[in-house]
Amino acid sequence: MLDSGALMGLIGALSGAAIGAIGAVYGPLVLKKKERHWQELARDDDLYTARITSLTYGRLRTRQWFDYLNLTVTLSTVGEQVDVKEFAETCHKHRSESHDAIYDPVLLRVAARPMRHSVVALQNASDMIAQAVWRSDFAGGQVPSEVTEALEAAATARSWFRTAIERVVEARTGLTAQEFSQRYPSGFPSLPDERAR
């Protein structure tokens, strides 16, 4: 007859061997799965950072162009002479920089149409201002209504960048823009601080 202690020992040894075999097979599989998961998270973080950086850069470039247009209108209304040729060259430079910024491959996946609309609206405002300067429409300190409308349209088109950044942050963190800025008041330390704009 078998001793019950020997039987228990045999069962324990077989159970231990089975658990060890399962661990030997599934352990590396679980580690590989976790490693793939962490690599995917790192890729997601890289994509997230790239999107925020590209959106911020596009927003910054279009903001510089928009500020230049506003400055030109302000100077024109107070009687400063604006050289139309220099204005056109500077607008072309701003347009090229904005164009390069928004046609980043990372951003094309986000939304190409609103970004193009921003550049088109800014170009339209530039054209309106150039025509008004050329015709001396700013004489007397008045801003023509078509210039005001074009600048307002450009400002509205540019607002898409802020909305897009807020959506990317919300999708990644689960926090609204207000919640995010309350929790992280310093924002993104590696990105230009443009919250004031």
Side-chain angles (χ1 to χ4, degrees):
M1 281 216 167
L2 290 172
D3 186 11
S4 65
L7 182 61
M8 292 305 263
L10 180 62
I11 291 173
L14 289 175
S15 298
I19 291 172
I22 290 171
V25 172
Y26 288 110
L29 293 176
V30 169
L31 287 176
K32 281 290 185 190
K33 184 178 178 181
K34 283 189 177 192
E35 184 179 325
R36 278 193 304 269
H37 175 72
W38 286 111
Q39 287 173 345
E40 287 174 15
L41 287 177
R43 252 180 284 149
D44 288 348
D45 283 346
D46 290 346
L47 181 60
Y48 167 73
T49 302
R51 282 186 178 161
I52 291 292
T53 302
S54 294
L55 285 166
T56 302
Y57 185 67
R59 183 175 179 213
L60 179 67
R61 290 295 174 217
T62 57
R63 179 62 188 220
Q64 289 171 338
W65 189 3
F66 185 74
D67 288 346
Y68 176 72
L69 296 177
N70 279 315
L71 176 66
T72 303
V73 168
T74 302
L75 291 175
S76 296
T77 57
V78 296
E80 291 282 328
Q81 289 293 334
V82 175
D83 181 5
V84 177
K85 183 178 179 183
E86 183 181 321
F87 174 76
E89 288 171 358
T90 304
C91 284
H92 180 72
K93 181 186 115 215
H94 283 299
R95 183 180 191 280
S96 295
E97 290 173 354
S98 297
H99 190 272
D100 291 345
I102 68 167
Y103 283 100
D104 183 332
V106 172
L107 290 183
L108 291 177
R109 292 185 194 122
V110 176
R113 183 174 290 152
M115 292 181 296
R116 275 195 307 266
H117 182 64
S118 297
V119 171
V120 168
L122 285 163
Q123 184 61 50
N124 183 46
S126 298
D127 294 343
M128 291 291 178
I129 293 168
Q131 290 172 13
V133 167
W134 186 74
R135 292 188 312 247
S136 300
D137 288 349
F138 292 108
Q142 296 296 322
V143 178
S145 61
E146 62 268 6
V147 170
T148 303
E149 291 169 8
L151 284 172
E152 288 172 358
T156 301
R158 273 197 70 260
S159 69
W160 175 85
F161 283 100
R162 178 180 286 278
T163 304
I165 290 169
E166 290 172 356
R167 285 183 185 156
V168 170
V169 168
E170 187 172 348
R172 181 69 179 136
T173 64
L175 301 172
T176 65
Q178 184 178 7
E179 293 168 337
F180 184 84
S181 62
Q182 287 172 352
R183 188 173 292 173
Y184 307 102
S186 62
F188 299 101
S190 62
L191 301 176
D193 186 14
E194 200 188 339
R195 287 177 290 162
R197 295 183 185 249

